[in-house]
Amino acid sequence: MSKPQNAPVVLTFGSGPAGLKTADYRAARGEIERMGLRFASHSAFTPDFIHDEILVKSGAAKAECKGDASRSLEKFKFPQIISEGIYESVSRLEPDGARCVAVRFDPGWKGGSAGTGLGNTGIAAVPFGASLESMVPLIEERFKEVLASGAAPSIAAFKARKGTEGKLGIQIMPVQGAEFRANDGNTHIWPTIAVSYIGKVDGKALVSVGHGFDGANFIGKGLVGNLDGYVKLTDDISKHILHYDNVSQMIDLKSGNIVELCGTADFYKVKQGIAELDGMLNKQTHSAYLEIVNASLDCDDWVATQYCRFNVETSRVIGTGVVQTSGVVFLDLIGMNPYKLREMNRENKGYLLCTAGMGAGGFFSTFSPEYYSNAGAIVILYENRHAISSHLNGLPRELGIPVLCIDIEKHEFMQNLRKSVDSYAGSDLGSREQVQEFDREHIYKTKLAVYVKEFAEKGLIARI
């Protein structure tokens, strides 16, 4: 293939963490280089060009759901300029060309790279010896998958809450990792250590650490000594040591599929590597969200794959917010029709959503933003120590929705709300019907203030 003639198709080549726009690039590069991390190379296709050349021409721009977008894109033939741009990307991203890449969203709005986890990420890989041209059709298919996921209602709900009409671009980023040869002879790539990190705030950071591809976001692949969960608030990341006999998620270069295999780095090298990363992160001058991997079996090659500054002063941030809610909605999620929750969210705004019957991790993995995007705050009446959602809870934090997990039963929580109403404390309410009528008149219409300070692990709900 020849070099594309229309240069604006490919926005950036070479060093740069994912999700950054040109205006932010120099500041982020300086920060990451001061810390001693290296950049993950990437290329980016501009949102306007993707919209005009693919979404409009394929008909997917008018799609109202992922399925409709997929059908529109299925038979679409990419313009030559995009195919050539993809080839130019994989040729230049690595010294010998990229043979295993992740294709992901390039959000066109501020904070879009703050660990929201929205949209699909597709993997395209070819074995060593295969031509780089053979990567192009694979990446084109991943383009279609990622773009189709942009038509999901969760994206529309997220953008409505953020008040943005930003368009989505596409990134191509080589997967960073060490090589591993399995018993079947296939070569695999896997990050020996994967880290999601946000901090520091008041001297503390929120960190999750795991093995393998996307390993920092898998509950159950925990840390030695942290039996109550794998995400902790800490001022010393070196306290978080990987369990050294975990199964790792790896990418098979032959098939391009993610598989689980037993493969770990030496425990003491892992320990030494995390201590080294702790020293790097202590050199931060700005609080930020980072995704970091180690791409070496010696655990001495730390790579920043995503970077987004974290503003801890705004009330839009879950960690330091005070939110006033109007009305309380209680839902028992066991056996509930999910459409009920979605319709309730469409019809209400600024309410306090209280859920029972499902933990925080289950709620956010089951329900996407269109089910709760208009909530002022969320209370989950079940306590656990796992992440509220993946990527260190980036999705509710970026939406500005405080989330409190409280380890009490629904009836006890309701009783506390009733006691906050002076007239209830001295009343003679006794029958179930009287209590229900009281709740309709006072509790479900009440205005509450929700205060959260995530990095201090504090939360409060009070009547206004």
Side-chain angles (χ1 to χ4, degrees):
M1 289 187 176
S2 60
K3 184 176 180 179
Q5 299 301 309
N6 191 342
V9 176
V10 179
L11 182 63
T12 38
F13 277 120
S15 297
L20 292 180
K21 303 306 171 194
T22 304
D24 302 320
Y25 174 78
R26 290 184 179 178
R29 178 172 181 170
E31 176 78 348
I32 291 175
E33 288 181 346
R34 279 191 298 272
M35 293 164 61
L37 295 163
R38 73 174 175 90
F39 286 99
S41 59
H42 77 286
S43 61
F45 288 70
T46 63
D48 286 340
F49 189 89
I50 290 294
H51 182 85
D52 294 339
E53 291 295 319
I54 299 180
L55 293 178
V56 172
K57 290 184 177 179
S58 68
K62 297 180 179 180
E64 296 183 355
C65 67
K66 182 178 177 180
D68 290 345
S70 294
R71 286 185 285 273
S72 296
L73 290 164
E74 184 177 0
K75 298 181 180 180
F76 178 72
K77 181 175 175 57
F78 277 65
Q80 183 178 358
I81 194 169
I82 290 184
S83 299
E84 291 176 346
I86 291 173
Y87 177 73
E88 181 74 0
S89 296
V90 297
S91 300
R92 294 181 58 185
L93 285 176
E94 300 285 81
D96 297 319
R99 299 182 180 277
C100 182
V101 300
V103 181
R104 61 195 301 185
F105 276 157
D106 186 22
W109 56 75
K110 185 177 181 180
S113 297
T116 58
L118 289 171
N120 284 10
T121 294
I123 302 296
V126 295
F128 293 103
S131 67
L132 289 179
E133 285 89 344
S134 62
M135 284 284 285
V136 175
L138 298 176
I139 294 175
E140 288 178 347
E141 290 305 309
R142 302 295 88 79
F143 262 54
K144 293 179 180 180
E145 293 171 4
V146 173
L147 289 171
S149 70
S154 59
I155 302 292
F158 181 91
K159 291 166 72 172
R161 173 83 185 207
K162 294 283 289 183
T164 179
E165 294 296 327
K167 297 177 181 178
L168 294 168
I170 295 286
Q171 294 174 16
I172 301 176
M173 175 183 290
V175 173
Q176 304 292 323
E179 291 184 18
F180 177 87
R181 188 172 292 274
N183 292 333
D184 60 8
N186 289 349
T187 301
H188 300 70
I189 290 180
W190 63 299
T192 54
I193 310 172
V195 178
S196 289
Y197 173 92
I198 185 169
K200 291 187 174 180
V201 179
D202 295 332
K204 292 186 176 182
L206 188 63
V207 59
S208 62
V209 185
H211 270 306
F213 186 74
D214 206 23
N217 290 312
F218 286 96
I219 294 175
K221 293 178 171 57
L223 307 172
V224 171
N226 289 334
L227 300 181
D228 59 345
Y230 83 125
V231 175
K232 301 288 285 185
L233 292 165
T234 180
D235 56 4
D236 182 3
I237 192 176
S238 64
K239 292 178 181 177
H240 294 257
I241 306 302
L242 287 162
H243 198 298
Y244 57 90
D245 60 359
N246 280 338
V247 170
S248 296
Q249 292 215 347
M250 304 183 183
I251 298 172
D252 186 338
L253 283 182
K254 184 176 181 180
S255 67
N257 295 326
I258 297 176
V259 296
E260 287 196 348
L261 294 173
C262 288
T264 59
D266 178 83
F267 175 73
Y268 295 100
K269 290 182 178 179
V270 169
K271 184 176 180 180
Q272 182 178 356
I274 293 180
E276 179 185 36
L277 178 62
D278 185 45
M280 293 176 174
L281 294 172
N282 280 330
K283 298 176 182 177
Q284 282 178 276
T285 58
H286 298 281
S287 298
Y289 171 80
L290 286 136
E291 291 180 18
I292 307 168
V293 300
N294 200 294
S296 167
L297 290 175
D298 290 327
C299 300
D300 60 357
D301 183 18
W302 288 105
V303 189
T305 60
Q306 197 159 351
Y307 177 94
C308 182
R309 284 195 179 183
F310 176 55
N311 183 355
V312 300
E313 298 300 325
T314 171
S315 62
R316 296 283 299 167
V317 176
I318 188 172
T320 57
V322 178
V323 175
Q324 293 187 2
T325 62
S326 180
V328 179
V329 175
F330 281 96
L331 291 174
D332 193 327
L333 299 174
I334 298 299
M336 187 201 75
N337 185 335
Y339 293 106
K340 178 182 177 182
L341 177 58
R342 188 170 64 180
E343 291 304 312
M344 181 279 302
N345 184 64
R346 288 177 177 174
E347 296 170 1
N348 296 276
K349 192 172 184 179
Y351 58 93
L352 178 66
L353 174 62
C354 299
T355 72
M358 183 181 292
F363 176 82
F364 283 100
S365 62
T366 302
F367 298 102
S368 51
E370 70 266 27
Y371 292 90
Y372 57 82
S373 60
N374 286 328
I378 299 174
V379 172
I380 296 177
L381 300 179
Y382 177 85
E383 171 68 13
N384 62 23
R385 300 298 299 176
H386 294 306
I388 292 176
S389 64
S390 66
H391 297 81
L392 293 177
N393 314 325
L395 182 54
R397 184 186 297 107
E398 190 60 30
L399 287 172
I401 302 177
V403 181
L404 292 85
C405 297
I406 306 176
D407 192 19
I408 62 175
E409 299 291 335
K410 176 183 175 181
H411 69 86
E412 184 179 352
F413 182 75
M414 286 290 291
Q415 193 77 333
N416 288 334
L417 284 181
R418 294 182 189 117
K419 288 178 180 179
S420 69
V421 181
D422 294 339
S423 60
Y424 179 75
S427 70
D428 295 325
L429 294 181
S431 70
R432 182 177 179 180
E433 290 75 15
Q434 287 177 312
V435 173
Q436 290 177 340
E437 179 62 26
F438 181 87
D439 288 344
R440 283 193 292 269
E441 291 298 318
H442 299 280
I443 302 302
Y444 297 139
K445 297 179 181 179
T446 191
K447 293 184 178 181
L448 298 168
V450 180
Y451 165 78
V452 291
K453 193 172 183 181
E454 184 177 18
F455 285 83
E457 297 185 286
K458 294 180 179 179
L460 176 70
I461 303 174
R463 286 185 64 89
I464 298 175

